[in-house]
Protein backbone atom coordinates (compact mmCIF):
# COMPACT_ATOMS: atom_id res chain seq x y z
CA UNK A 1 0.00 0.00 0.00
CA UNK A 2 1.43 3.43 -0.85
CA UNK A 3 2.46 5.57 2.10
CA UNK A 4 0.48 8.70 2.92
CA UNK A 5 2.00 12.00 1.92
CA UNK A 6 4.49 13.05 4.58
CA UNK A 7 4.51 9.62 6.24
CA UNK A 8 7.75 8.60 7.97
CA UNK A 9 9.97 5.90 6.55
CA UNK A 10 12.87 4.29 8.36
CA UNK A 11 14.20 1.41 10.40
CA UNK A 12 13.09 0.27 13.84
CA UNK A 13 15.10 0.23 17.04
CA UNK A 14 16.27 -2.96 18.77
CA UNK A 15 16.66 -3.17 22.54
CA UNK A 16 19.51 -5.70 22.54
CA UNK A 17 20.11 -8.49 25.01
CA UNK A 18 21.68 -6.34 27.74
CA UNK A 19 24.50 -7.67 29.88
CA UNK A 20 28.10 -6.54 30.08
CA UNK A 21 31.09 -7.07 27.84
CA UNK A 22 34.84 -7.34 28.16
CA UNK A 23 35.37 -5.23 25.07
CA UNK A 24 35.57 -5.48 21.30
CA UNK A 25 36.97 -8.27 19.19
CA UNK A 26 40.21 -6.30 18.95
CA UNK A 27 40.54 -6.17 22.73
CA UNK A 28 39.92 -3.47 25.28
CA UNK A 29 41.80 -0.28 24.48
CA UNK A 30 43.00 2.00 27.24
CA UNK A 31 41.39 5.34 27.94
CA UNK A 32 43.36 8.55 27.45
CA UNK A 33 45.80 9.18 30.26
CA UNK A 34 45.32 12.01 32.71
CA UNK A 35 47.93 14.07 30.86
CA UNK A 36 46.19 13.76 27.49
CA UNK A 37 44.05 16.87 26.87
CA UNK A 38 40.43 16.43 25.84
CA UNK A 39 40.15 19.25 23.33
CA UNK A 40 36.54 18.68 22.36
CA UNK A 41 34.43 20.47 19.79
CA UNK A 42 33.46 23.52 21.81
CA UNK A 43 30.15 25.24 21.10
CA UNK A 44 29.98 28.38 23.28
CA UNK A 45 26.46 29.49 24.08
CA UNK A 46 24.81 26.17 23.30
CA UNK A 47 23.49 26.02 26.87
CA UNK A 48 20.54 28.36 26.36
CA UNK A 49 19.61 30.19 29.56
CA UNK A 50 19.69 27.91 32.59
CA UNK A 51 21.03 24.42 32.00
CA UNK A 52 18.13 21.99 31.61
CA UNK A 53 20.15 18.83 31.06
CA UNK A 54 19.87 15.93 33.48
CA UNK A 55 22.40 13.18 34.04
CA UNK A 56 21.68 9.61 33.00
CA UNK A 57 23.21 7.25 35.55
CA UNK A 58 21.27 4.13 34.51
CA UNK A 59 23.38 3.85 31.37
CA UNK A 60 22.85 0.10 31.02
CA UNK A 61 19.14 0.58 30.32
CA UNK A 62 17.88 0.92 26.76
CA UNK A 63 18.20 3.19 24.82
CA UNK A 64 20.97 4.82 26.85
CA UNK A 65 23.28 1.83 26.55
CA UNK A 66 23.23 2.45 22.78
CA UNK A 67 24.75 5.93 23.24
CA UNK A 68 28.50 5.85 22.59
CA UNK A 69 31.27 8.13 23.84
CA UNK A 70 33.74 8.81 21.01
CA UNK A 71 37.34 9.85 21.68
CA UNK A 72 39.88 10.33 18.87
CA UNK A 73 42.85 12.38 17.75
CA UNK A 74 42.77 14.82 14.85
CA UNK A 75 46.56 14.84 14.62
CA UNK A 76 49.13 12.28 15.68
CA UNK A 77 50.69 14.45 18.37
CA UNK A 78 47.54 16.21 19.50
CA UNK A 79 45.12 15.64 22.34
CA UNK A 80 41.92 13.66 22.29
CA UNK A 81 38.73 15.17 20.90
CA UNK A 82 35.29 14.14 22.08
CA UNK A 83 32.10 13.37 20.20
CA UNK A 84 29.01 11.24 20.72
CA UNK A 85 27.59 8.46 18.58
CA UNK A 86 24.61 6.11 18.68
CA UNK A 87 24.41 2.49 17.65
CA UNK A 88 22.44 1.79 14.46
CA UNK A 89 23.35 -1.88 14.16
CA UNK A 90 25.38 -4.66 15.76
CA UNK A 91 28.72 -3.10 14.74
CA UNK A 92 27.94 0.41 13.43
CA UNK A 93 27.29 3.80 14.99
CA UNK A 94 26.08 7.07 13.50
CA UNK A 95 27.65 10.42 14.36
CA UNK A 96 28.42 13.84 12.93
CA UNK A 97 30.55 14.09 9.80
CA UNK A 98 33.01 16.37 11.58
CA UNK A 99 33.64 13.59 14.09
CA UNK A 100 35.18 11.38 11.38
CA UNK A 101 36.43 13.80 8.69
CA UNK A 102 37.92 17.30 8.59
CA UNK A 103 35.49 18.51 5.91
CA UNK A 104 37.92 18.87 3.01
CA UNK A 105 40.32 16.73 1.03
CA UNK A 106 37.87 14.03 0.00
CA UNK A 107 39.04 10.53 0.86
CA UNK A 108 42.30 11.94 2.26
CA UNK A 109 40.45 13.96 4.93
CA UNK A 110 39.43 11.18 7.30
CA UNK A 111 40.95 11.18 10.77
CA UNK A 112 43.19 8.29 11.78
CA UNK A 113 40.80 5.47 12.65
CA UNK A 114 43.42 3.78 14.83
CA UNK A 115 43.11 6.56 17.45
CA UNK A 116 39.39 6.02 18.10
CA UNK A 117 38.15 4.83 21.49
CA UNK A 118 34.44 3.93 21.38
CA UNK A 119 32.66 3.31 24.68
CA UNK A 120 28.93 2.44 24.73
CA UNK A 121 26.93 3.22 27.86
CA UNK A 122 29.84 4.74 29.76
CA UNK A 123 29.05 6.12 33.21
CA UNK A 124 32.11 8.02 34.49
CA UNK A 125 34.74 5.37 35.31
CA UNK A 126 32.35 2.49 34.62
CA UNK A 127 32.43 0.99 31.12
CA UNK A 128 29.85 -1.79 31.24
CA UNK A 129 30.35 -2.88 27.62
CA UNK A 130 34.09 -2.30 27.41
CA UNK A 131 35.56 -0.33 24.53
CA UNK A 132 35.82 -0.92 20.81
CA UNK A 133 38.02 0.38 18.03
CA UNK A 134 37.12 1.73 14.58
CA UNK A 135 37.47 -0.46 11.51
CA UNK A 136 36.13 2.04 8.96
CA UNK A 137 34.94 5.65 8.85
CA UNK A 138 32.17 6.99 6.61
CA UNK A 139 30.80 10.32 5.47
CA UNK A 140 29.35 11.85 2.30
CA UNK A 141 30.82 14.02 -0.46
CA UNK A 142 28.92 17.14 0.63
CA UNK A 143 30.87 17.14 3.87
CA UNK A 144 34.14 15.54 2.72
CA UNK A 145 34.66 17.85 -0.26
CA UNK A 146 32.85 21.06 0.64
CA UNK A 147 32.55 21.36 4.44
CA UNK A 148 28.81 21.80 3.85
CA UNK A 149 27.02 21.58 7.19
CA UNK A 150 23.86 20.40 5.44
CA UNK A 151 25.70 17.09 4.97
CA UNK A 152 27.44 16.91 8.35
CA UNK A 153 26.84 13.26 9.17
CA UNK A 154 28.79 10.03 9.10
CA UNK A 155 29.25 6.64 10.67
CA UNK A 156 31.87 4.37 12.22
CA UNK A 157 32.18 0.63 11.66
CA UNK A 158 33.35 -0.95 14.92
CA UNK A 159 35.71 -3.88 15.46
CA UNK A 160 33.11 -5.50 17.74
CA UNK A 161 29.47 -6.56 17.70
CA UNK A 162 28.55 -4.82 20.95
CA UNK A 163 25.25 -3.70 19.41
CA UNK A 164 23.81 -7.16 19.96
CA UNK A 165 23.97 -6.37 23.70
CA UNK A 166 23.40 -2.61 23.73
CA UNK A 167 20.75 -2.64 21.05
CA UNK A 168 20.45 0.20 18.59
CA UNK A 169 18.36 3.21 17.73
CA UNK A 170 15.94 3.30 14.86
CA UNK A 171 16.12 6.21 12.43
CA UNK A 172 13.67 7.71 9.99
CA UNK A 173 12.87 10.50 7.54
CA UNK A 174 9.65 12.20 6.61
CA UNK A 175 8.77 14.79 3.98
CA UNK A 176 6.41 16.60 6.35
CA UNK A 177 7.72 19.27 8.72
CA UNK A 178 9.18 18.08 12.01
CA UNK A 179 8.37 21.35 13.78
CA UNK A 180 6.60 20.67 17.07
CA UNK A 181 7.68 17.02 17.18
CA UNK A 182 8.93 15.77 20.56
CA UNK A 183 12.71 15.46 20.57
CA UNK A 184 15.49 14.48 22.96
CA UNK A 185 19.25 15.04 22.68
CA UNK A 186 21.44 12.63 24.65
CA UNK A 187 25.22 12.51 24.72
CA UNK A 188 28.56 13.02 26.44
CA UNK A 189 29.18 16.79 26.84
CA UNK A 190 32.68 17.91 27.77
CA UNK A 191 31.49 20.59 30.22
CA UNK A 192 30.34 17.84 32.60
CA UNK A 193 32.39 15.29 34.58
CA UNK A 194 34.39 13.04 32.28
CA UNK A 195 32.47 10.15 30.76
CA UNK A 196 29.04 11.15 32.09
CA UNK A 197 25.91 11.04 29.94
CA UNK A 198 23.40 13.90 29.87
CA UNK A 199 20.04 14.39 28.22
CA UNK A 200 17.32 16.98 27.65
CA UNK A 201 13.92 16.78 25.99
CA UNK A 202 11.81 19.38 24.22
CA UNK A 203 10.37 19.92 20.76
CA UNK A 204 11.69 20.75 17.30
CA UNK A 205 11.58 24.55 16.90
CA UNK A 206 12.01 24.81 13.12
CA UNK A 207 12.46 22.59 10.10
CA UNK A 208 14.59 23.18 7.03
CA UNK A 209 15.23 20.83 4.14
CA UNK A 210 18.41 19.45 5.68
CA UNK A 211 18.43 20.86 9.23
CA UNK A 212 16.27 21.20 12.29
CA UNK A 213 16.65 23.57 15.24
CA UNK A 214 15.72 23.14 18.91
CA UNK A 215 16.38 24.74 22.27
CA UNK A 216 17.47 21.65 24.18
CA UNK A 217 20.80 22.42 25.83
CA UNK A 218 24.00 20.88 24.47
CA UNK A 219 27.72 21.48 24.65
CA UNK A 220 30.95 20.50 22.93
CA UNK A 221 31.52 16.74 22.64
CA UNK A 222 27.79 16.23 22.12
CA UNK A 223 28.34 16.53 18.38
CA UNK A 224 26.97 13.38 16.80
CA UNK A 225 24.29 12.82 19.45
CA UNK A 226 20.96 11.47 18.26
CA UNK A 227 18.04 13.87 18.14
CA UNK A 228 15.45 11.22 18.90
CA UNK A 229 11.92 10.47 20.00
CA UNK A 230 9.68 7.50 20.76
CA UNK A 231 8.16 6.92 17.33
CA UNK A 232 4.95 4.90 16.92
CA UNK A 233 6.47 2.83 14.09
CA UNK A 234 10.20 2.85 14.78
CA UNK A 235 10.52 2.92 18.57
CA UNK A 236 13.42 4.93 19.97
CA UNK A 237 14.36 6.54 16.69
CA UNK A 238 16.47 9.48 15.52
CA UNK A 239 15.24 12.17 13.14
CA UNK A 240 18.50 14.17 13.11
CA UNK A 241 22.12 14.22 14.28
CA UNK A 242 23.20 17.05 16.57
CA UNK A 243 26.00 19.14 15.03
CA UNK A 244 25.94 22.79 16.09
CA UNK A 245 25.34 25.07 19.07
CA UNK A 246 24.18 28.65 19.10
CA UNK A 247 23.13 31.46 21.43
CA UNK A 248 19.38 31.08 20.84
CA UNK A 249 19.02 27.61 19.35
CA UNK A 250 20.97 24.46 18.58
CA UNK A 251 20.76 22.49 15.37
CA UNK A 252 21.29 19.14 13.78
CA UNK A 253 21.55 17.55 10.37
CA UNK A 254 18.07 16.36 9.44
CA UNK A 255 17.80 12.76 8.25
CA UNK A 256 16.56 12.82 4.67
CA UNK A 257 15.64 9.92 2.45
CA UNK A 258 19.22 9.84 1.10
CA UNK A 259 20.74 10.06 4.60
CA UNK A 260 18.61 7.17 5.85
CA UNK A 261 19.66 5.12 2.80
CA UNK A 262 23.33 5.87 3.48
CA UNK A 263 23.08 4.97 7.17
CA UNK A 264 21.38 1.72 6.25
CA UNK A 265 24.04 0.92 3.63
CA UNK A 266 26.87 1.63 6.07
CA UNK A 267 25.16 -0.42 8.76
CA UNK A 268 24.75 -3.39 6.41
CA UNK A 269 28.29 -3.25 4.99
CA UNK A 270 30.61 -6.07 6.12
Amino acid sequence: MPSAVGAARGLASFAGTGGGSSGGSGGVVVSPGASDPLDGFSAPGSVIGSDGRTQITATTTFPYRAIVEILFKQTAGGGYYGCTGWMIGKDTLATAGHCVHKGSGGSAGFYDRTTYILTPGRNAATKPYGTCKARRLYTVAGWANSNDTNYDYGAIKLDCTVGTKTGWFGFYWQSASLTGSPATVTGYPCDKPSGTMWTMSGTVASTQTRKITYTMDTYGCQSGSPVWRVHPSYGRAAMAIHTNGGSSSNSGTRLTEAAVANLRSWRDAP
Side-chain angles (χ1 to χ4, degrees):
M1 178 180 296
S3 298
V5 174
R9 302 167 181 85
L11 287 84
S13 61
F14 168 64
T17 61
S21 170
S22 60
S25 59
V28 178
V29 297
V30 298
S31 297
S35 62
D36 289 318
L38 179 61
D39 296 329
F41 285 109
S42 61
S46 54
V47 173
I48 301 165
S50 59
D51 191 349
R53 293 170 295 172
T54 58
Q55 185 178 356
I56 300 296
T57 56
T59 62
T60 58
T61 60
F62 184 76
Y64 303 113
R65 62 190 180 211
I67 301 287
V68 184
E69 180 194 53
I70 300 173
L71 299 176
F72 68 102
K73 291 186 175 184
Q74 289 189 340
T75 59
Y80 279 91
Y81 280 74
C83 279
T84 299
W86 40 287
M87 298 300 297
I88 58 171
K90 65 180 182 180
D91 62 356
T92 312
L93 65 79
T95 189
H98 68 256
C99 296
V100 297
H101 193 286
K102 66 182 182 180
S104 64
S107 59
F110 285 101
Y111 298 124
D112 182 357
R113 66 173 178 80
T114 66
T115 69
Y116 279 76
I117 302 171
L118 310 168
T119 311
R122 182 177 178 183
N123 183 23
T126 302
K127 302 175 183 179
Y129 305 98
T131 59
C132 301
K133 300 177 184 179
R135 287 199 293 119
R136 192 175 301 118
L137 309 177
Y138 301 94
T139 192
V140 292
W143 177 255
N145 296 328
S146 306
N147 198 34
D148 187 339
T149 60
N150 286 307
Y151 299 92
D152 188 359
Y153 70 97
I156 300 175
K157 182 69 71 172
L158 282 59
D159 75 334
C160 64
T161 56
V162 70
T164 59
K165 292 187 175 182
T166 65
W168 54 79
F169 280 84
F171 49 95
Y172 71 98
W173 71 277
Q174 65 183 51
S175 56
S177 173
L178 290 164
T179 302
S181 296
T184 297
V185 182
T186 309
Y188 286 95
C190 55
D191 64 327
K192 300 294 188 182
S194 177
T196 57
M197 185 188 301
W198 295 75
T199 194
M200 185 173 175
S201 297
T203 58
V204 176
S206 69
T207 305
Q208 303 170 23
T209 302
R210 297 186 183 276
K211 288 183 181 292
I212 62 171
T213 67
Y214 36 86
T215 57
M216 289 84 78
D217 295 322
T218 63
Y219 204 79
C221 302
Q222 279 190 259
S223 290
S225 296
V227 185
W228 64 279
R229 62 170 292 190
V230 179
H231 191 278
S233 298
Y234 304 116
R236 273 67 176 172
M239 66 191 82
I241 298 174
H242 174 68
T243 56
N244 293 93
S247 59
S248 60
S249 66
N250 297 315
S251 62
T253 302
R254 182 183 182 185
L255 295 184
T256 62
E257 181 177 13
V260 165
N262 283 329
L263 291 178
R264 181 171 188 169
S265 175
W266 297 335
R267 184 200 68 173
D268 293 345

